[in-house]
Amino acid sequence: MAKKEQDLQQVVENAIAEQKVPHVKFKGIDPKNIDVDRLTKPSKETRQEWWGRGLTFLAIILIGMLIVAIIGFVGMHGLATFIDNKVNIFHFLFSTDWNPGAGKNHVGAAAMIVTSFAVTLLAALIATPFSIAVALFMTEYESGKRVQLLQSVMELLVGIPSVVYGFIGLMVVVPAVRTIFGGTGFGILTATLILFVMVLPTITSLTVDAFKAIPKDLRKSSSALGATKWQTIYHVVLRAACSRIMTAIIFGMARAFGEALAVQMAIGNAVLMPYNLVSPAATLTSQLTSQMGNTVMGTLPNNALWSLALLLLIMSLVFNFLVHLIGKKS
Amino acid sequence: MTNVMEAKNVKLKYGNFEALHGISLAFPAQKLTALIGPSGCGKSTFLRCLNRMNDDIDDIKITGEILLEGKDIYHSHIDLVALRKKVGMVFQQPTPFPFSVFDNVAYGLRIAGVKDKELIEQRVEESLKQAAIWNETKDNLQRNALAFSGGQQQRICIARALAIRPEVVLLDEPTSALDPISSSEIEETLMALKQKYTFIMVTHNLQQASRVSDQVAFLMNGELIESGSTQEMFLSPKKEITNNYLNGRFG
């Protein structure tokens, strides 16, 4: 302690000796007045900082472990189909013969893969023009109360549980499709119509963000060059927002691809290659939800379902990757 | 000296607040008029009246007359699109559209329905040359306009405004977001272009006004205090307050 104080005294004396501006006095500074212990120990704030940082890192580590565990678990079981049960991976991807209970030569998921992509793409295809129209209305043509109302409606659409969508689909859309197109009313068309409403708010709100991100000056510059509102929208706003609209569509597709319950209630759940839009079919998710209670852990039918889950997981990674790719490009 | 544009007793109200209290000012052809004055004096608001950029604002009321070649631009028969083809505008921040230089400059022509490719190419080249940016862009016309520097972007914006051959070009502090070198390049560009176009420029930079303008109008609190030739205004202003402002005693 005495040593420290001496050191400090030395520093102060040196400073006084070296000072170039004579009228500045170091009077108030006396090593005896300084609590060296307090200054050399971590303060309360520093300790709080350590705590805060520690808690944050702990949370990150736990979540990281959880994610690794989920991926590992799904991967392990999903791959067991191919490793333990010796199912040919090409057979799994390209065969439409789905009857895992009958042995390893009957594990073909192609019908479900095709159906999943069909409902996803069709839903996005129908939803995108409407989303862009609604987003344009909300950002370019209207402001104030009506926009807020639309915003709340969109948020409401997001908040409706998928079982409710499924129920409405079952009670309204299925009979309607049955009446118009014949058949049972279950199928890709019905599922698409339900998914269209479900992805609409996702695509719309992200598209609204895309339009809002475009500087007002760009629109003004365009109108100052004699462009009408529609010309400005068509040539500047849509063009400038293009990559972000793509991102919005992909987020919508990810939602549609992963939706299980509402689709399961409306698609008919028959694992058949879809040759038209109004015959019963099954997606990866609908097959997973409808069959998971019917298999025994560790058996081939169970592992086959895990493989479907793995495929869904990989697809969601692909969607995320696409979003990043587009983000980087723009 | 003919006047291309003339404002007569222009008043502007936001709701109950009157921002411009009757401004009358004539803009001679092929001259550069600088609008100066302290922040919030209404000079940008007045500038935006001249090509009706204020029309979108809610609750706004503009009275008086603004004549362009003898016709009141606020008359109900005037087509906004046609007006803005005659009165172009360059903004404070460079605002190139996020696509190629060529498409940027060709934009005004294309939306006006010009299909003739040769004419568009010729106009683009001419306009870029006029805006003194041709040498920097001629080898990469297809490059995204956002990839250029701020000063270059602003000159691309000037070229874009010139491509539709306006009578009058409004400049809203065109150099305030730029570094001194880019600013002086823009000034040189304007000096050269004065032979062909009529410019009306809002600026905070008094030296800039004295360097490039032919006529200066001093606005304060929504009123036109004084206007006259640049030389007169800077050397022997008639009013004390103008003198004080120009000499940097306030503002």
Side-chain angles (χ1 to χ4, degrees):
Chain A
M1 179 55 28
K3 174 92 169 78
K4 265 187 195 165
E5 264 172 36
Q6 269 172 16
D7 286 354
L8 207 61
Q9 180 79 51
Q10 193 62 45
V11 170
V12 173
E13 274 162 14
N14 285 349
I16 291 170
E18 281 173 16
Q19 70 164 320
K20 299 248 159 63
V21 190
H23 62 268
V24 177
K25 294 276 196 284
F26 283 91
K27 257 187 198 162
I29 301 176
D30 180 354
K32 300 225 167 42
N33 294 341
I34 294 168
D35 186 351
V36 179
D37 254 4
R38 201 176 60 79
L39 282 178
T40 49
K41 267 190 185 154
S43 67
K44 195 179 151 212
E45 288 78 4
T46 311
R47 285 200 303 277
Q48 277 176 348
E49 161 84 19
W50 290 346
W51 255 109
R53 206 192 304 199
L55 281 175
T56 312
F57 283 153
L58 196 69
I60 294 287
I61 290 167
L62 280 175
I63 298 295
M65 275 160 58
L66 193 66
I67 291 167
V68 170
I70 290 172
I71 295 176
F73 200 77
V74 174
M76 198 174 78
H77 285 278
L79 291 174
T81 315
F82 310 110
I83 297 164
D84 299 345
N85 304 109
K86 308 274 191 286
V87 171
N88 185 330
I89 191 156
F90 292 104
H91 188 268
F92 174 77
L93 289 176
F94 298 114
S95 161
T96 55
D97 179 6
W98 178 261
N99 188 9
K104 77 179 182 86
N105 289 326
H106 303 277
V107 189
M112 288 171 280
I113 295 171
V114 170
T115 310
S116 272
F117 275 103
V119 292
T120 303
L121 289 172
L122 285 173
L125 204 67
I126 303 174
T128 304
F130 286 98
S131 295
I132 291 176
V134 174
L136 283 176
F137 181 80
M138 286 170 74
T139 54
E140 310 294 323
Y141 285 108
E142 273 299 330
S143 58
K145 279 208 176 123
R146 266 181 272 190
V147 170
Q148 278 172 359
L149 184 76
L150 258 178
Q151 190 109 36
S152 331
V153 170
M154 285 294 157
E155 277 157 19
L156 184 78
L157 285 181
V158 178
I160 296 174
S162 51
V163 66
V164 176
Y165 279 112
F167 194 55
I168 297 170
L170 196 62
M171 292 295 145
V172 182
V173 187
V174 171
V177 170
R178 188 190 300 142
T179 316
I180 299 166
F181 297 99
T184 60
F186 294 97
I188 289 178
L189 180 66
T190 316
T192 302
L193 291 175
I194 296 167
L195 281 175
F196 150 63
V197 184
M198 294 181 80
V199 301
L200 190 70
T202 310
I203 303 182
T204 305
S205 65
L206 287 168
T207 307
V208 166
D209 292 346
F211 291 155
K212 279 190 181 157
I214 297 168
K216 279 222 169 65
D217 281 355
L218 231 51
R219 297 183 177 90
K220 280 193 197 159
S221 303
S222 173
S223 55
L225 287 164
T228 59
K229 191 136 203 165
W230 179 249
Q231 284 176 324
T232 303
I233 289 172
Y234 188 76
H235 294 287
V236 177
V237 177
L238 285 180
R239 202 162 161 186
C242 188
S243 71
R244 290 188 65 161
I245 295 174
M246 288 298 290
T247 311
I249 296 170
I250 289 171
F251 270 116
M253 283 169 67
R255 166 120 210 253
F257 202 82
E259 177 52 43
L261 202 54
V263 173
Q264 189 223 345
M265 290 165 82
I267 202 160
N269 300 304
V271 188
L272 300 166
M273 196 63 168
Y275 291 107
N276 63 60
L277 299 181
V278 288
S279 63
T283 63
L284 294 166
T285 50
S286 74
Q287 187 61 15
L288 203 56
T289 35
S290 59
Q291 293 306 312
M292 63 189 167
N294 304 336
T295 58
V296 182
M297 191 81 172
T299 61
L300 175 60
N302 187 264
N303 285 345
L305 289 185
W306 278 110
S307 301
L308 298 187
L310 180 64
L311 202 59
L312 284 166
L313 194 115
I314 291 169
M315 272 316 296
S316 83
L317 287 177
V318 168
F319 282 126
N320 268 317
F321 175 73
L322 281 178
V323 166
H324 281 284
L325 200 73
I326 293 171
K328 256 188 196 162
K329 260 194 172 174
S330 61
Chain B
M1 186 61 56
T2 51
N3 293 329
V4 176
M5 256 192 141
E6 190 171 0
K8 283 184 180 165
N9 196 26
V10 173
K11 289 183 182 173
L12 180 143
K13 264 186 177 175
Y14 298 113
N16 286 326
F17 173 74
E18 194 174 80
L20 299 176
H21 317 294
I23 292 181
S24 301
L25 187 61
F27 302 99
Q30 270 108 57
K31 297 281 175 203
L32 196 153
T33 304
L35 303 175
I36 58 169
S39 296
C41 70
K43 54 195 186 308
S44 285
T45 308
F46 178 62
L47 188 79
R48 284 199 295 272
C49 288
L50 300 176
N51 70 341
R52 296 184 57 176
M53 287 302 273
N54 287 328
D55 283 19
D56 297 342
I57 302 168
D58 294 334
D59 244 12
I60 202 161
K61 208 177 163 232
I62 300 164
T63 56
E65 279 188 322
I66 295 175
L67 303 174
L68 175 68
E69 294 167 331
K71 283 182 201 143
D72 185 7
I73 62 168
Y74 280 92
H75 194 279
S76 55
H77 291 315
I78 290 286
D79 180 30
L80 259 189
V81 170
L83 166 70
R84 286 170 183 170
K85 277 176 189 140
K86 285 188 175 171
V87 185
M89 188 165 195
V90 176
F91 295 81
Q92 183 174 0
Q93 297 284 340
T95 53
F97 301 131
F99 34 79
S100 74
V101 176
F102 187 89
D103 288 353
N104 259 281
V105 181
Y107 184 82
L109 293 169
R110 282 180 179 157
I111 57 167
V114 177
K115 294 258 158 41
D116 185 351
K117 271 192 176 170
E118 262 176 51
L119 175 72
I120 292 178
E121 274 171 30
Q122 184 196 335
R123 271 289 176 83
V124 168
E125 183 177 336
E126 245 173 58
S127 308
L128 286 167
K129 274 179 181 161
Q130 285 182 350
I133 184 80
W134 175 248
N135 285 336
E136 286 132 290
T137 55
K138 66 179 175 203
D139 297 324
N140 33 30
L141 283 173
Q142 292 311 318
R143 202 165 139 208
N144 194 315
L146 290 169
F148 290 86
S149 75
Q152 289 171 328
Q153 286 184 13
Q154 190 66 305
R155 274 180 286 157
I156 291 170
C157 291
I158 292 174
R160 186 175 67 185
L162 297 180
I164 46 174
R165 295 287 176 271
E167 311 272 331
V168 182
V169 181
L170 310 177
L171 306 155
D172 191 357
E173 299 185 42
T175 62
S176 68
L178 304 177
D179 63 274
I181 294 171
S182 310
S183 298
S184 73
E185 281 166 357
I186 301 263
E187 280 179 27
E188 275 169 38
T189 311
L190 293 178
M191 295 293 279
L193 284 173
K194 274 200 298 192
Q195 326 297 331
K196 289 203 179 80
Y197 300 91
T198 306
F199 288 102
I200 303 170
M201 175 168 83
V202 163
T203 181
H204 266 293
N205 185 336
L206 296 177
Q207 281 79 30
Q208 184 175 61
S210 72
R211 282 191 298 266
V212 299
S213 71
D214 305 292
Q215 181 186 237
V216 175
F218 173 52
L219 280 80
M220 215 173 100
N221 299 331
E223 253 167 302
L224 177 70
I225 305 290
E226 195 176 342
S227 69
S229 79
T230 305
Q231 204 168 8
E232 253 177 67
M233 285 285 279
F234 275 90
L235 294 179
S236 54
K238 291 185 198 77
K239 289 188 182 163
E240 182 66 23
I241 192 161
T242 314
N243 191 27
N244 287 345
Y245 182 74
L246 293 176
N247 287 309
R249 295 211 183 92
F250 75 98

